[in-house]
Amino acid sequence: MQFLIEKASSHDREAVLNVMEPWNMHHVPSAEMPEIDLSCFFVARVSGNIVGAAGYRVSTPEKGKTTLLGILPEFSGMGIGRALQDARLQAMYAAGIKTVETNADRIETILWYKKHYGYHEIGSLKKICDFSLSDVDHWTTLEMNLDAYMNTKNDRETRRKTYIDRNDPHPLSTYEPLIINACLTGMVPTKFSNPHVPIHPDEIIEDAVKVFDAGARIVHLHARDENGDPTPDAKYYEKIIGAIRKERPKMVCCVTTSGRNWKEFEQRSEVLFLSGRAKPDMASLTLGSLNFFTGPSLNSIEMIERLAMTMTEQDIKPEMEVFDTGMINLAKYLERNRLIAGKKYFNLLFGNINTAPATITSLALMTQALPEHSVWAGTGLGQFQLPMNTAAIVAGGHVRVGIEDSVYFDYRKETLATNEQLVRRVARIAEEMQRPLATPEQTRQLIGLKIED
């Protein structure tokens, strides 16, 4: 709920006292509280109505005193009290006040002042009449060093925010802008299984443009030859990347070095030696061998090391593909041997028959096992794509999505997917969860790529 803190006006007296009435602090004027000075009051408004108020007075040139602070009970816990206290402290500090005195009789209020503002007890004062808690006959007098508090306020707030971001779950900690990585084609899908799968270079280029406009910032590319078969031939990638850079120059282009169809290093690494406008930003690096229903993906440690070395030499960031926790162990092995370094990008893929299942437990296990300075995106294969995409958004990760991982849009396999539809669905879910999509510049910064002019 949105609220507004502003200076009270001369017409707000009745509304201020109405706010104090639930707390038995509305007896004004009285022996406890003389007539209030509205020029030293702040009010909190919700939809134009006053729901909270706080006042102060100047006792001496360097000493101030808080008077009333109250919020309608139904608006408690929304941060209004903190905002009102901050406003009156700021006003006193601007007036040259060095120390502030406050009287309170509620234990929870005393603790609140101590916890958030560094007050300490300096004594007690007997009540003159029934005011606030009727069964407590005295005020606890508190004092704070306003000068010290204001001089350290920014540092404390920065430390608190940093602590929250490092330790607290989302959304208490700040969500990073969401990166969508679109895997358009893959090795397996054909026009027979889904007529929307882009195979010809022009189709891949067109789909890359569409998914960028829908919110994707990374495009994961597999090339096909004239017969529609997967190919490692760099000339196809050169055409595709060059055209994408012309149409959407800010898109991050990632190429495959897959071991599903080619076993030789020269074939798998050919695309890494493209240069100029066709040079890829990233390249896939599957961190182990695994089985699919359609066949094995073979990745020896020696092959992984050679590909990683070549990517480093060519200044191409690895897009590390991980299907179980053992592959994360290998990433740590690569890092401690300085074959990878800095910010690391992982695709976590769930739901394959021979690797980690598509469950929240697997997601938690894998993300907790990642090394420091890791950025990860989550996906599920086939029917698991949408659930794991959603789980990744909630968990603070990023998303890989596309026809490569699922040719269908729905669980029941009744609707064939397009890459644009899949990206737009993720973007819509992220919007509902109040998580913004990353800009191209934010994407590069988050994954450790150079920011392009």
Side-chain angles (χ1 to χ4, degrees):
M1 180 174 294
Q2 298 294 316
F3 59 85
L4 174 68
I5 304 296
E6 62 184 17
K7 290 281 290 183
S9 75
S10 58
H11 306 293
D12 292 334
R13 182 181 185 278
E14 183 178 354
V16 168
L17 294 182
N18 286 341
V19 168
M20 304 300 162
E21 186 170 5
W23 310 103
N24 193 31
M25 295 191 299
H26 61 296
H27 307 297
V28 179
S30 69
E32 283 289 350
M33 180 62 60
E35 187 58 62
I36 58 177
D37 180 3
L38 288 171
S39 68
C40 293
F41 257 80
F42 291 88
V43 295
R45 294 183 186 272
V46 173
S47 300
N49 300 312
I50 292 178
V51 301
Y56 68 95
R57 67 169 180 261
V58 176
S59 304
T60 70
E62 292 192 352
K63 189 169 185 176
K65 188 177 189 310
T66 61
T67 53
L68 299 175
L69 171 60
I71 303 147
L72 292 177
E74 60 266 38
F75 294 94
S76 295
M78 298 180 180
I80 295 175
R82 288 286 301 274
L84 287 167
Q85 171 76 349
D86 289 344
R88 65 183 179 180
L89 289 181
Q90 184 63 51
M92 285 189 275
Y93 185 67
I97 300 300
K98 304 293 185 184
T99 61
V100 175
E101 186 178 288
T102 295
N103 288 322
D105 61 348
R106 301 174 187 272
I107 295 297
E108 64 273 20
T109 303
I110 294 168
L111 294 175
W112 183 82
Y113 279 121
K114 289 181 176 180
K115 178 174 72 172
H116 294 299
Y117 297 96
Y119 278 90
H120 62 279
E121 296 183 25
I122 61 172
S124 64
L125 184 67
K126 191 164 182 65
K127 289 183 180 179
I128 304 172
C129 66
D130 181 24
F131 204 86
S132 191
L133 289 177
S134 299
D135 57 348
V136 177
D137 66 356
H138 67 280
W139 300 105
T140 296
T141 303
L142 306 166
E143 187 179 76
M144 71 172 291
N145 184 329
L146 181 59
D147 197 43
Y149 174 82
M150 296 302 290
N151 285 332
T152 59
K153 186 172 184 289
N154 289 339
D155 287 344
R156 285 196 316 276
E157 290 177 351
T158 299
R159 285 196 300 270
R160 183 174 185 273
K161 183 180 184 304
T162 300
Y163 185 90
I164 288 173
D165 284 342
R166 287 179 177 174
N167 296 281
D168 286 0
H170 305 296
L172 289 180
S173 57
T174 305
Y175 274 119
E176 290 180 340
L178 180 70
I179 300 170
I180 301 176
N181 184 339
C183 51
L184 306 180
T185 306
M187 294 284 194
V188 177
T190 64
K191 291 289 188 181
F192 180 76
S193 63
N194 183 336
H196 305 303
V197 62
I199 290 176
H200 188 274
D202 289 343
E203 294 177 323
I204 295 172
I205 295 160
E206 181 182 2
D207 252 25
V209 170
K210 287 180 179 179
V211 297
F212 180 88
D213 293 345
R217 295 296 172 251
I218 303 175
V219 61
H220 178 95
L221 299 168
H222 289 253
R224 303 283 182 99
D225 62 19
E226 289 78 2
N227 298 318
D229 296 323
T231 176
D233 193 330
K235 69 182 181 185
Y236 294 98
Y237 287 99
E238 185 173 25
K239 177 179 180 179
I240 292 168
I241 296 173
I244 292 173
R245 292 260 163 79
K246 181 179 178 181
E247 295 293 329
R248 296 296 182 270
K250 294 185 177 182
M251 183 160 236
V252 175
C253 293
C254 175
V255 295
T256 187
T257 64
S258 173
R260 294 183 71 171
N261 290 45
W262 311 290
K263 313 307 176 191
E264 300 301 322
F265 171 78
E266 289 72 22
Q267 292 174 301
R268 296 177 63 169
S269 65
E270 181 178 341
V271 69
L272 303 178
F273 295 95
L274 289 171
S275 60
R277 288 177 59 84
K279 178 182 176 180
D281 301 289
M282 304 176 73
S284 70
L285 184 66
T286 304
L287 296 179
S289 299
L290 66 151
N291 294 316
F292 297 100
F293 273 126
T294 53
S297 174
L298 301 178
N299 301 282
S300 68
I301 292 178
E302 179 187 6
M303 176 65 74
I304 295 168
E305 289 178 330
R306 289 188 70 185
L307 289 170
M309 286 180 189
T310 304
M311 291 176 196
T312 299
E313 292 165 357
Q314 297 300 115
D315 195 25
I316 295 171
K317 178 167 284 292
E319 179 204 53
M320 288 178 282
E321 300 200 355
V322 168
F323 290 79
D324 59 36
T325 53
M327 295 186 183
I328 296 174
N329 291 340
L330 189 67
K332 295 175 180 177
Y333 167 83
L334 296 177
E335 184 169 36
R336 71 173 175 262
N337 285 286
R338 295 187 292 182
L339 299 180
I340 59 173
K343 287 188 176 180
K344 296 163 287 294
Y345 180 92
F346 291 87
N347 276 332
L348 307 182
L349 299 99
F350 302 91
N352 179 51
I353 187 65
N354 195 211
T355 49
T359 63
I360 296 297
T361 302
S362 293
L363 179 66
L365 181 66
M366 298 260 269
T367 55
Q368 290 172 7
L370 292 172
E372 287 185 329
H373 309 299
S374 294
V375 178
W376 62 272
T379 192
L381 305 185
Q383 292 163 298
F384 299 118
Q385 186 174 89
L386 177 59
M388 298 313 290
N389 283 168
T390 305
I393 295 171
V394 173
H398 304 279
V399 167
R400 164 177 158 135
V401 68
I403 290 178
E404 175 179 351
D405 294 339
S406 179
V407 297
Y408 290 98
F409 187 75
D410 60 329
Y411 300 143
R412 296 180 180 178
K413 300 183 178 181
E414 295 175 344
T415 304
L416 292 169
T418 71
N419 285 306
E420 182 182 10
Q421 285 176 329
L422 292 171
V423 171
R424 289 197 181 280
R425 179 167 64 183
V426 168
R428 186 171 64 250
I429 293 169
E431 182 180 10
E432 290 290 337
M433 293 183 177
Q434 303 173 52
R435 187 166 176 194
L437 300 184
T439 65
E441 294 76 16
Q442 288 171 330
T443 299
R444 289 181 171 273
Q445 182 179 26
L446 286 168
I447 64 180
L449 289 174
K450 294 176 182 177
I451 305 296
E452 300 292 339
D453 292 333

